[in-house]
Amino acid sequence: AQSVTQLGSHVSVSEGALVLLRCNYSSSVPPYLFWYVQYPNQGLQLLLKYTSAATLVKGINGFEAEFKKSETSFHLTKPSAHMSDAAEYFCAVRGNNDMRFGAGTRLTVKP
Amino acid sequence: DVKVTQSSRYLVKRTGEKVFLECVQDMDHENMFWYRQDPGLGLRLIYFSYDVKMKEKGDIPEGYSVSREKKERFSLILESASTNQTSMYLCASDSPKVFGETQYFGPGTRLLVL
């Protein structure tokens, strides 16, 4: 069965610093992987997805993620954090009929 | 744009009440899902439905039931609400026809059971 693990429930960065949110997956088949963002009191919004095309995936708001099969990782990065990036981020892997989510990482951006 | 709407953003109910949460999507999606979200636990699947009148249990179905009488509408029912069902409930939909498709989420319903 597919699953994802997010390393770090809280990440804090300064405005303008690099954002790195970690996600490792477990899958017996080539995975479809996703990153979602959730702003306070809202639903989840798709940031980007990997569907076996390019290993470096670019998403909205300047985020990108790199699929590394050898490391079973799909880490999310952004070169320069903005205050508006403060939110909770979820990594997910597509299952047979559903989506499997990580526990989430809350990103705080300090001025 | 895909739109998934949920009937309430906030609900306050008393223990033992029957609670209905409704979700409507406008993209003709076959699949619909109910999740509950709790801090540190991410999203956990309660039930999903892949067609009208069809339902499948997710990881935590106990204390919940669902109804899908129309393709666009998926209801979550708490038969007798309890305080441990205080949570954020998220509805989502997608189509199995699109390989690697994302799920589309509603804004969520924050339920407080007193």
Side-chain angles (χ1 to χ4, degrees), chain B residues 52-113:
Chain B
V52 175
K53 295 192 186 295
M54 306 304 289
K55 61 185 179 184
E56 293 282 346
K57 292 180 180 179
D59 299 319
I60 51 165
E62 297 78 18
Y64 303 95
S65 62
V66 290
S67 172
R68 192 158 180 210
E69 297 297 320
K70 294 185 178 181
K71 190 174 185 180
E72 67 271 18
R73 189 180 298 268
F74 191 35
S75 300
L76 179 70
I77 303 152
L78 286 65
E79 297 289 345
S80 177
S82 63
T83 54
N84 62 13
Q85 293 179 308
T86 290
S87 187
M88 173 75 137
Y89 290 88
L90 292 166
C91 176
S93 72
D94 69 23
S95 172
K97 297 174 185 171
V98 180
F99 221 41
E101 170 71 316
T102 183
Q103 290 189 345
Y104 297 89
F105 284 84
T109 296
R110 192 168 292 281
L111 173 66
L112 173 62
V113 182

Side-chain angles (χ1 to χ4, degrees), chain A residues 32 36 38 41 43 94 100, chain B residues 9 37 59 94 101-102:
Chain A
Y32 293 109
Y36 290 88
Q38 185 182 34
N41 295 313
R94 186 86 210 189
R100 292 286 153 177
Chain B
R9 296 298 305 274
Q37 181 183 6
D59 299 319
D94 69 23
E101 170 71 316
T102 183

